[in-house]
Amino acid sequence: MLILQPILLLCFSKTQYQSKNYVFYKLDTLNNSLKLVHQIKDTLKKDYRTFNNPNPNLKIDLTSNEHATYLITTASDGRTKDATPKIISIENYFNFINETTIWNIVFYGIIFFLLLINLYQWSIYKQKIYFYYIFYILSTVLVYLGIEGYLFNLRIKQIIIDHFIFVSVKLWALSLIIYTSKFLEIKIVNPRYYKFIKIVLFIVLGSTLLYQFAFYDSSIQHLHYFENILSSLW
């Protein structure tokens, strides 16, 4: 529980894969009951944010000298999350958002620059290894956009975004391993090991993809546990 002062903003550290898995209640001291701070129309999106930003946030308005008690609840279906709240002023919040935006521009700018370099080299040398690296760069961007929460701004249902993220993760793993295999020329150095790699890729990525869509409504929560382990193995 938190005691809040006027003109404050409550925000969370970014939650991996999902930035909307928290609910805010205000304690009504007259009848000792909890009331939602914000009512939302589309409960499927579970969007309680005041500002449409990937970083979870909630603006709390208090009158002068007013004190109030708030209860924050969070839930997880297996995804990694950091739900540590902190209270900051609106001015500091927007300063933080601006700083994050600048670093994101630098980060995605570098990725875009690398993409252009590889497209140029691919057009000159016509070697497939550049295609695999381009594929790796693009799938990496898709994974970051999903994990960082930017896809939530498209007003797409949460479950669709979750499935998109996991497809992107599989594309990322596939492109990364194929590119590495081509770069190290494993097919030439050790053909049997190269064949083993392809079999593992086919079985693991294929089976998880089939499971993901065969159990469309319930597979996401289990995939979060599995993919967290699997990603370290890749």
Side-chain angles (χ1 to χ4, degrees):
M1 297 220 179
L2 298 173
I3 304 299
L4 303 174
Q5 297 295 327
I7 317 176
L8 292 175
L9 184 79
L10 185 67
C11 69
F12 280 76
S13 299
K14 206 170 289 184
T15 57
Q16 187 176 8
Y17 293 127
Q18 147 96 295
S19 61
K20 304 175 182 181
N21 60 352
Y22 51 89
V23 185
F24 298 88
Y25 299 94
K26 183 177 182 179
L27 177 64
D28 187 345
T29 56
L30 296 178
N31 54 17
N32 199 31
S33 62
L34 294 173
K35 294 182 179 180
L36 279 175
V37 174
H38 284 327
Q39 295 288 344
I40 57 174
K41 296 179 180 179
D42 190 350
T43 56
L44 291 177
K45 293 187 173 67
K46 298 181 181 177
D47 191 350
Y48 291 87
R49 296 173 299 172
T50 300
F51 301 103
N52 191 26
N53 184 274
N55 291 85
N57 61 83
L58 177 71
K59 181 173 175 291
I60 301 174
D61 296 309
L62 297 178
T63 60
S64 179
N65 298 322
E66 177 187 0
H67 291 77
T69 302
Y70 289 83
L71 177 69
I72 305 166
T73 65
T74 61
S76 173
D77 56 6
R79 65 196 73 204
T80 304
K81 66 184 183 69
D82 179 4
T84 304
K86 59 181 178 180
I87 302 173
I88 61 176
S89 67
I90 294 179
E91 180 181 356
N92 289 337
Y93 175 76
F94 282 116
N95 288 337
F96 166 74
I97 295 302
N98 292 334
E99 291 174 2
T100 303
T101 302
I102 292 174
W103 281 111
N104 284 337
I105 292 174
V106 173
F107 175 73
Y108 288 107
I110 292 174
I111 291 181
F112 181 70
F113 181 69
L114 291 174
L115 180 62
L116 291 180
I117 291 177
N118 281 272
L119 285 171
Y120 176 72
Q121 290 181 317
W122 185 27
S123 65
I124 294 178
Y125 300 109
K126 307 296 183 182
Q127 295 181 6
K128 285 187 177 180
I129 191 169
Y130 291 106
F131 169 76
Y132 295 125
Y133 194 66
I134 291 168
F135 191 33
Y136 167 67
I137 292 175
L138 293 176
S139 58
T140 301
V141 171
L142 294 178
V143 171
Y144 270 106
L145 289 175
I147 290 178
E148 294 294 308
Y150 289 102
L151 298 180
F152 286 117
N153 295 331
L154 301 178
R155 309 300 296 173
I156 301 173
K157 287 185 178 179
Q158 177 182 311
I159 191 170
I160 295 177
I161 295 177
D162 282 333
H163 280 288
F164 176 81
I165 291 173
F166 278 113
V167 171
S168 299
V169 168
K170 291 175 179 62
L171 293 176
W172 170 80
L174 177 65
S175 59
L176 171 63
I177 294 173
I178 292 179
Y179 167 75
T180 306
S181 300
K182 295 292 183 180
F183 181 79
L184 297 176
E185 297 183 337
I186 296 178
K187 185 177 182 180
I188 300 175
V189 177
N190 194 333
R192 293 181 62 185
Y193 183 56
Y194 182 73
K195 183 179 180 180
F196 171 76
I197 290 175
K198 291 197 298 183
I199 293 174
V200 171
L201 278 175
F202 178 78
I203 293 175
V204 177
L205 294 181
S207 59
T208 53
L209 187 64
L210 287 175
Y211 170 76
Q212 176 179 335
F213 289 105
F215 302 93
Y216 183 84
D217 294 325
S218 60
S219 61
I220 291 299
Q221 58 180 319
H222 301 294
L223 285 173
H224 276 293
Y225 287 109
F226 183 69
E227 294 285 0
N228 283 337
I229 298 174
L230 193 63
S231 60
S232 61
L233 298 178
W234 295 133

